Amino acid sequence: MKFLPFGIASAVALTAALPSFAQSTEARAGAEIAARVTPSEFAPSVGVLELNQTVIIEGCLEDVTWCQISFDGQTAWASAEYLYVEENATPVALINRPGTLSLSTVTVPDDEATQTDQNTAAAVGATVGSLIAFAAGGPVGGVIAGGLLGSAVAVSAVEPSEETLLFVSVNPVETIYLNGEVAVGAGVPAEVVMYDVPTQPEFRYLNVNNQLVLVDAETGTIVRVIR
């Protein structure tokens, strides 16, 4: 398997000169991602953010890896790799600390920190690697590379069929644990064992962090999260 080379370029693009824009507490989701109880990819989900859904940023961890958000009347945490703000139709990832955007620092209370540690500890012993957020240009990086603000990144030319989705659902496999949020466009490390899909050989599938995903067999990128 190989990853699309423009992913690296896109990641570099995100860390290049950042635009200036007025301060705002609003951001958008660069992919369909889980909103979680605590700032950990192993924490329980309280909902799903849709692509380009607007959220209010309440604050972020000091390293800006996770941000506390408000949406649909509830408060949760989301991976900053998949949150972005806009300036002149150019998305800028929050994880890159946009220079003119003031982000409050949130300190996780002891009870939340303990729960996060427990969730993480349950998986760390079996963690076999990390998802690559910019494997296919990334949910934000790909938008920049292709000038497709407001559109999902096309990581596969073929849509999974209903037969394929059914096959994956009724043929469960043991979960593996990877650091990083499970999202369309993220790359699965080459050393991870994936399973064939007889109905559509262009896909493989696996269970990442207790979440079934379809993966492009050629590029190793997640093309569908089966919720």
Side-chain angles (χ1 to χ4, degrees), residues 177-196:
Y177 293 96
L178 297 173
N179 293 312
E181 190 61 81
V182 177
V184 171
V188 177
E191 63 270 19
V192 170
V193 175
M194 289 178 272
Y195 300 86
D196 292 336

mmCIF file with all atom_site columns, all heavy atoms in Angstrom, residues 177-196:
data_model
loop_
_atom_site.group_PDB
_atom_site.id
_atom_site.type_symbol
_atom_site.label_atom_id
_atom_site.label_alt_id
_atom_site.label_comp_id
_atom_site.label_asym_id
_atom_site.label_entity_id
_atom_site.label_seq_id
_atom_site.pdbx_PDB_ins_code
_atom_site.Cartn_x
_atom_site.Cartn_y
_atom_site.Cartn_z
_atom_site.occupancy
_atom_site.B_iso_or_equiv
_atom_site.pdbx_formal_charge
_atom_site.auth_seq_id
_atom_site.auth_comp_id
_atom_site.auth_asym_id
_atom_site.auth_atom_id
_atom_site.pdbx_PDB_model_num
ATOM 1   N N   . TYR A 1 177 ? -6.145  -0.814  17.931 1.00 0.00 ? 177 TYR A N   1
ATOM 2   C CA  . TYR A 1 177 ? -6.133  0.538   18.464 1.00 0.00 ? 177 TYR A CA  1
ATOM 3   C C   . TYR A 1 177 ? -5.026  1.352   17.822 1.00 0.00 ? 177 TYR A C   1
ATOM 4   O O   . TYR A 1 177 ? -3.865  0.944   17.797 1.00 0.00 ? 177 TYR A O   1
ATOM 5   C CB  . TYR A 1 177 ? -5.977  0.510   19.986 1.00 0.00 ? 177 TYR A CB  1
ATOM 6   C CG  . TYR A 1 177 ? -7.182  -0.076  20.674 1.00 0.00 ? 177 TYR A CG  1
ATOM 7   C CD1 . TYR A 1 177 ? -7.210  -1.413  21.047 1.00 0.00 ? 177 TYR A CD1 1
ATOM 8   C CD2 . TYR A 1 177 ? -8.311  0.707   20.910 1.00 0.00 ? 177 TYR A CD2 1
ATOM 9   C CE1 . TYR A 1 177 ? -8.328  -1.958  21.667 1.00 0.00 ? 177 TYR A CE1 1
ATOM 10  C CE2 . TYR A 1 177 ? -9.435  0.170   21.524 1.00 0.00 ? 177 TYR A CE2 1
ATOM 11  C CZ  . TYR A 1 177 ? -9.437  -1.164  21.896 1.00 0.00 ? 177 TYR A CZ  1
ATOM 12  O OH  . TYR A 1 177 ? -10.549 -1.699  22.494 1.00 0.00 ? 177 TYR A OH  1
ATOM 13  N N   . LEU A 1 178 ? -5.427  2.490   17.261 1.00 0.00 ? 178 LEU A N   1
ATOM 14  C CA  . LEU A 1 178 ? -4.497  3.407   16.627 1.00 0.00 ? 178 LEU A CA  1
ATOM 15  C C   . LEU A 1 178 ? -4.691  4.790   17.226 1.00 0.00 ? 178 LEU A C   1
ATOM 16  O O   . LEU A 1 178 ? -5.826  5.225   17.443 1.00 0.00 ? 178 LEU A O   1
ATOM 17  C CB  . LEU A 1 178 ? -4.732  3.469   15.112 1.00 0.00 ? 178 LEU A CB  1
ATOM 18  C CG  . LEU A 1 178 ? -4.522  2.178   14.320 1.00 0.00 ? 178 LEU A CG  1
ATOM 19  C CD1 . LEU A 1 178 ? -4.965  2.377   12.870 1.00 0.00 ? 178 LEU A CD1 1
ATOM 20  C CD2 . LEU A 1 178 ? -3.070  1.741   14.363 1.00 0.00 ? 178 LEU A CD2 1
ATOM 21  N N   . ASN A 1 179 ? -3.614  5.484   17.471 1.00 0.00 ? 179 ASN A N   1
ATOM 22  C CA  . ASN A 1 179 ? -3.716  6.866   17.924 1.00 0.00 ? 179 ASN A CA  1
ATOM 23  C C   . ASN A 1 179 ? -4.227  7.734   16.778 1.00 0.00 ? 179 ASN A C   1
ATOM 24  O O   . ASN A 1 179 ? -3.842  7.537   15.628 1.00 0.00 ? 179 ASN A O   1
ATOM 25  C CB  . ASN A 1 179 ? -2.350  7.375   18.386 1.00 0.00 ? 179 ASN A CB  1
ATOM 26  C CG  . ASN A 1 179 ? -1.863  6.666   19.633 1.00 0.00 ? 179 ASN A CG  1
ATOM 27  O OD1 . ASN A 1 179 ? -2.601  6.516   20.606 1.00 0.00 ? 179 ASN A OD1 1
ATOM 28  N ND2 . ASN A 1 179 ? -0.623  6.191   19.607 1.00 0.00 ? 179 ASN A ND2 1
ATOM 29  N N   . GLY A 1 180 ? -5.076  8.697   17.091 1.00 0.00 ? 180 GLY A N   1
ATOM 30  C CA  . GLY A 1 180 ? -5.628  9.570   16.063 1.00 0.00 ? 180 GLY A CA  1
ATOM 31  C C   . GLY A 1 180 ? -7.109  9.313   15.840 1.00 0.00 ? 180 GLY A C   1
ATOM 32  O O   . GLY A 1 180 ? -7.608  8.199   16.040 1.00 0.00 ? 180 GLY A O   1
ATOM 33  N N   . GLU A 1 181 ? -7.818  10.359  15.405 1.00 0.00 ? 181 GLU A N   1
ATOM 34  C CA  . GLU A 1 181 ? -9.261  10.253  15.193 1.00 0.00 ? 181 GLU A CA  1
ATOM 35  C C   . GLU A 1 181 ? -9.573  9.449   13.939 1.00 0.00 ? 181 GLU A C   1
ATOM 36  O O   . GLU A 1 181 ? -8.916  9.589   12.909 1.00 0.00 ? 181 GLU A O   1
ATOM 37  C CB  . GLU A 1 181 ? -9.865  11.654  15.078 1.00 0.00 ? 181 GLU A CB  1
ATOM 38  C CG  . GLU A 1 181 ? -11.380 11.681  15.100 1.00 0.00 ? 181 GLU A CG  1
ATOM 39  C CD  . GLU A 1 181 ? -11.964 11.118  16.388 1.00 0.00 ? 181 GLU A CD  1
ATOM 40  O OE1 . GLU A 1 181 ? -12.015 11.842  17.396 1.00 0.00 ? 181 GLU A OE1 1
ATOM 41  O OE2 . GLU A 1 181 ? -12.365 9.935   16.372 1.00 0.00 ? 181 GLU A OE2 1
ATOM 42  N N   . VAL A 1 182 ? -10.575 8.590   14.031 1.00 0.00 ? 182 VAL A N   1
ATOM 43  C CA  . VAL A 1 182 ? -11.038 7.801   12.891 1.00 0.00 ? 182 VAL A CA  1
ATOM 44  C C   . VAL A 1 182 ? -11.912 8.689   12.015 1.00 0.00 ? 182 VAL A C   1
ATOM 45  O O   . VAL A 1 182 ? -12.979 9.132   12.445 1.00 0.00 ? 182 VAL A O   1
ATOM 46  C CB  . VAL A 1 182 ? -11.830 6.569   13.364 1.00 0.00 ? 182 VAL A CB  1
ATOM 47  C CG1 . VAL A 1 182 ? -12.369 5.784   12.171 1.00 0.00 ? 182 VAL A CG1 1
ATOM 48  C CG2 . VAL A 1 182 ? -10.953 5.675   14.241 1.00 0.00 ? 182 VAL A CG2 1
ATOM 49  N N   . ALA A 1 183 ? -11.462 8.965   10.789 1.00 0.00 ? 183 ALA A N   1
ATOM 50  C CA  . ALA A 1 183 ? -12.202 9.866   9.901  1.00 0.00 ? 183 ALA A CA  1
ATOM 51  C C   . ALA A 1 183 ? -11.866 9.562   8.453  1.00 0.00 ? 183 ALA A C   1
ATOM 52  O O   . ALA A 1 183 ? -10.793 9.028   8.140  1.00 0.00 ? 183 ALA A O   1
ATOM 53  C CB  . ALA A 1 183 ? -11.861 11.325  10.209 1.00 0.00 ? 183 ALA A CB  1
ATOM 54  N N   . VAL A 1 184 ? -12.794 9.887   7.559  1.00 0.00 ? 184 VAL A N   1
ATOM 55  C CA  . VAL A 1 184 ? -12.543 9.741   6.128  1.00 0.00 ? 184 VAL A CA  1
ATOM 56  C C   . VAL A 1 184 ? -11.344 10.604  5.749  1.00 0.00 ? 184 VAL A C   1
ATOM 57  O O   . VAL A 1 184 ? -11.242 11.767  6.148  1.00 0.00 ? 184 VAL A O   1
ATOM 58  C CB  . VAL A 1 184 ? -13.775 10.167  5.308  1.00 0.00 ? 184 VAL A CB  1
ATOM 59  C CG1 . VAL A 1 184 ? -13.444 10.236  3.819  1.00 0.00 ? 184 VAL A CG1 1
ATOM 60  C CG2 . VAL A 1 184 ? -14.936 9.210   5.551  1.00 0.00 ? 184 VAL A CG2 1
ATOM 61  N N   . GLY A 1 185 ? -10.417 10.027  4.981  1.00 0.00 ? 185 GLY A N   1
ATOM 62  C CA  . GLY A 1 185 ? -9.219  10.743  4.571  1.00 0.00 ? 185 GLY A CA  1
ATOM 63  C C   . GLY A 1 185 ? -8.005  10.414  5.398  1.00 0.00 ? 185 GLY A C   1
ATOM 64  O O   . GLY A 1 185 ? -6.877  10.655  4.976  1.00 0.00 ? 185 GLY A O   1
ATOM 65  N N   . ALA A 1 186 ? -8.204  9.840   6.600  1.00 0.00 ? 186 ALA A N   1
ATOM 66  C CA  . ALA A 1 186 ? -7.069  9.446   7.435  1.00 0.00 ? 186 ALA A CA  1
ATOM 67  C C   . ALA A 1 186 ? -6.440  8.179   6.849  1.00 0.00 ? 186 ALA A C   1
ATOM 68  O O   . ALA A 1 186 ? -7.127  7.348   6.252  1.00 0.00 ? 186 ALA A O   1
ATOM 69  C CB  . ALA A 1 186 ? -7.515  9.214   8.871  1.00 0.00 ? 186 ALA A CB  1
ATOM 70  N N   . GLY A 1 187 ? -5.138  8.046   7.020  1.00 0.00 ? 187 GLY A N   1
ATOM 71  C CA  . GLY A 1 187 ? -4.427  6.900   6.467  1.00 0.00 ? 187 GLY A CA  1
ATOM 72  C C   . GLY A 1 187 ? -4.115  5.848   7.513  1.00 0.00 ? 187 GLY A C   1
ATOM 73  O O   . GLY A 1 187 ? -3.710  6.164   8.630  1.00 0.00 ? 187 GLY A O   1
ATOM 74  N N   . VAL A 1 188 ? -4.307  4.589   7.154  1.00 0.00 ? 188 VAL A N   1
ATOM 75  C CA  . VAL A 1 188 ? -4.003  3.472   8.039  1.00 0.00 ? 188 VAL A CA  1
ATOM 76  C C   . VAL A 1 188 ? -2.557  3.044   7.784  1.00 0.00 ? 188 VAL A C   1
ATOM 77  O O   . VAL A 1 188 ? -2.153  2.880   6.628  1.00 0.00 ? 188 VAL A O   1
ATOM 78  C CB  . VAL A 1 188 ? -4.957  2.290   7.769  1.00 0.00 ? 188 VAL A CB  1
ATOM 79  C CG1 . VAL A 1 188 ? -4.602  1.095   8.637  1.00 0.00 ? 188 VAL A CG1 1
ATOM 80  C CG2 . VAL A 1 188 ? -6.406  2.725   8.011  1.00 0.00 ? 188 VAL A CG2 1
ATOM 81  N N   . PRO A 1 189 ? -1.745  2.881   8.819  1.00 0.00 ? 189 PRO A N   1
ATOM 82  C CA  . PRO A 1 189 ? -0.351  2.472   8.629  1.00 0.00 ? 189 PRO A CA  1
ATOM 83  C C   . PRO A 1 189 ? -0.241  1.180   7.817  1.00 0.00 ? 189 PRO A C   1
ATOM 84  O O   . PRO A 1 189 ? -1.067  0.273   7.953  1.00 0.00 ? 189 PRO A O   1
ATOM 85  C CB  . PRO A 1 189 ? 0.153   2.262   10.063 1.00 0.00 ? 189 PRO A CB  1
ATOM 86  C CG  . PRO A 1 189 ? -0.736  3.116   10.902 1.00 0.00 ? 189 PRO A CG  1
ATOM 87  C CD  . PRO A 1 189 ? -2.084  3.076   10.241 1.00 0.00 ? 189 PRO A CD  1
ATOM 88  N N   . ALA A 1 190 ? 0.776   1.110   6.988  1.00 0.00 ? 190 ALA A N   1
ATOM 89  C CA  . ALA A 1 190 ? 0.940   -0.022  6.066  1.00 0.00 ? 190 ALA A CA  1
ATOM 90  C C   . ALA A 1 190 ? 1.091   -1.353  6.794  1.00 0.00 ? 190 ALA A C   1
ATOM 91  O O   . ALA A 1 190 ? 0.738   -2.406  6.259  1.00 0.00 ? 190 ALA A O   1
ATOM 92  C CB  . ALA A 1 190 ? 2.145   0.223   5.157  1.00 0.00 ? 190 ALA A CB  1
ATOM 93  N N   . GLU A 1 191 ? 1.631   -1.317  8.024  1.00 0.00 ? 191 GLU A N   1
ATOM 94  C CA  . GLU A 1 191 ? 1.875   -2.570  8.738  1.00 0.00 ? 191 GLU A CA  1
ATOM 95  C C   . GLU A 1 191 ? 0.627   -3.160  9.377  1.00 0.00 ? 191 GLU A C   1
ATOM 96  O O   . GLU A 1 191 ? 0.647   -4.293  9.872  1.00 0.00 ? 191 GLU A O   1
ATOM 97  C CB  . GLU A 1 191 ? 2.938   -2.354  9.822  1.00 0.00 ? 191 GLU A CB  1
ATOM 98  C CG  . GLU A 1 191 ? 2.560   -1.383  10.927 1.00 0.00 ? 191 GLU A CG  1
ATOM 99  C CD  . GLU A 1 191 ? 2.942   0.051   10.615 1.00 0.00 ? 191 GLU A CD  1
ATOM 100 O OE1 . GLU A 1 191 ? 3.166   0.360   9.423  1.00 0.00 ? 191 GLU A OE1 1
ATOM 101 O OE2 . GLU A 1 191 ? 2.993   0.865   11.549 1.00 0.00 ? 191 GLU A OE2 1
ATOM 102 N N   . VAL A 1 192 ? -0.471  -2.429  9.367  1.00 0.00 ? 192 VAL A N   1
ATOM 103 C CA  . VAL A 1 192 ? -1.707  -2.913  9.975  1.00 0.00 ? 192 VAL A CA  1
ATOM 104 C C   . VAL A 1 192 ? -2.379  -3.948  9.071  1.00 0.00 ? 192 VAL A C   1
ATOM 105 O O   . VAL A 1 192 ? -2.489  -3.756  7.857  1.00 0.00 ? 192 VAL A O   1
ATOM 106 C CB  . VAL A 1 192 ? -2.673  -1.737  10.233 1.00 0.00 ? 192 VAL A CB  1
ATOM 107 C CG1 . VAL A 1 192 ? -4.053  -2.241  10.637 1.00 0.00 ? 192 VAL A CG1 1
ATOM 108 C CG2 . VAL A 1 192 ? -2.100  -0.825  11.316 1.00 0.00 ? 192 VAL A CG2 1
ATOM 109 N N   . VAL A 1 193 ? -2.816  -5.044  9.652  1.00 0.00 ? 193 VAL A N   1
ATOM 110 C CA  . VAL A 1 193 ? -3.510  -6.089  8.903  1.00 0.00 ? 193 VAL A CA  1
ATOM 111 C C   . VAL A 1 193 ? -4.925  -5.632  8.571  1.00 0.00 ? 193 VAL A C   1
ATOM 112 O O   . VAL A 1 193 ? -5.680  -5.210  9.452  1.00 0.00 ? 193 VAL A O   1
ATOM 113 C CB  . VAL A 1 193 ? -3.566  -7.399  9.714  1.00 0.00 ? 193 VAL A CB  1
ATOM 114 C CG1 . VAL A 1 193 ? -4.403  -8.447  8.977  1.00 0.00 ? 193 VAL A CG1 1
ATOM 115 C CG2 . VAL A 1 193 ? -2.164  -7.922  9.966  1.00 0.00 ? 193 VAL A CG2 1
ATOM 116 N N   . MET A 1 194 ? -5.280  -5.704  7.272  1.00 0.00 ? 194 MET A N   1
ATOM 117 C CA  . MET A 1 194 ? -6.624  -5.366  6.829  1.00 0.00 ? 194 MET A CA  1
ATOM 118 C C   . MET A 1 194 ? -7.236  -6.578  6.121  1.00 0.00 ? 194 MET A C   1
ATOM 119 O O   . MET A 1 194 ? -6.520  -7.499  5.735  1.00 0.00 ? 194 MET A O   1
ATOM 120 C CB  . MET A 1 194 ? -6.585  -4.140  5.915  1.00 0.00 ? 194 MET A CB  1
ATOM 121 C CG  . MET A 1 194 ? -6.265  -2.858  6.659  1.00 0.00 ? 194 MET A CG  1
ATOM 122 S SD  . MET A 1 194 ? -6.165  -1.403  5.592  1.00 0.00 ? 194 MET A SD  1
ATOM 123 C CE  . MET A 1 194 ? -4.432  -1.460  5.121  1.00 0.00 ? 194 MET A CE  1
ATOM 124 N N   . TYR A 1 195 ? -8.539  -6.550  5.959  1.00 0.00 ? 195 TYR A N   1
ATOM 125 C CA  . TYR A 1 195 ? -9.254  -7.724  5.464  1.00 0.00 ? 195 TYR A CA  1
ATOM 126 C C   . TYR A 1 195 ? -9.891  -7.449  4.105  1.00 0.00 ? 195 TYR A C   1
ATOM 127 O O   . TYR A 1 195 ? -10.404 -6.357  3.848  1.00 0.00 ? 195 TYR A O   1
ATOM 128 C CB  . TYR A 1 195 ? -10.322 -8.139  6.489  1.00 0.00 ? 195 TYR A CB  1
ATOM 129 C CG  . TYR A 1 195 ? -9.725  -8.477  7.833  1.00 0.00 ? 195 TYR A CG  1
ATOM 130 C CD1 . TYR A 1 195 ? -9.486  -7.469  8.771  1.00 0.00 ? 195 TYR A CD1 1
ATOM 131 C CD2 . TYR A 1 195 ? -9.364  -9.782  8.149  1.00 0.00 ? 195 TYR A CD2 1
ATOM 132 C CE1 . TYR A 1 195 ? -8.919  -7.764  10.002 1.00 0.00 ? 195 TYR A CE1 1
ATOM 133 C CE2 . TYR A 1 195 ? -8.792  -10.083 9.377  1.00 0.00 ? 195 TYR A CE2 1
ATOM 134 C CZ  . TYR A 1 195 ? -8.568  -9.065  10.299 1.00 0.00 ? 195 TYR A CZ  1
ATOM 135 O OH  . TYR A 1 195 ? -7.990  -9.369  11.518 1.00 0.00 ? 195 TYR A OH  1
ATOM 136 N N   . ASP A 1 196 ? -9.848  -8.473  3.245  1.00 0.00 ? 196 ASP A N   1
ATOM 137 C CA  . ASP A 1 196 ? -10.377 -8.331  1.888  1.00 0.00 ? 196 ASP A CA  1
ATOM 138 C C   . ASP A 1 196 ? -11.895 -8.198  1.893  1.00 0.00 ? 196 ASP A C   1
ATOM 139 O O   . ASP A 1 196 ? -12.589 -8.712  2.771  1.00 0.00 ? 196 ASP A O   1
ATOM 140 C CB  . ASP A 1 196 ? -9.985  -9.539  1.045  1.00 0.00 ? 196 ASP A CB  1
ATOM 141 C CG  . ASP A 1 196 ? -8.492  -9.595  0.772  1.00 0.00 ? 196 ASP A CG  1
ATOM 142 O OD1 . ASP A 1 196 ? -7.840  -8.531  0.811  1.00 0.00 ? 196 ASP A OD1 1
ATOM 143 O OD2 . ASP A 1 196 ? -7.976  -10.703 0.516  1.00 0.00 ? 196 ASP A OD2 1
#
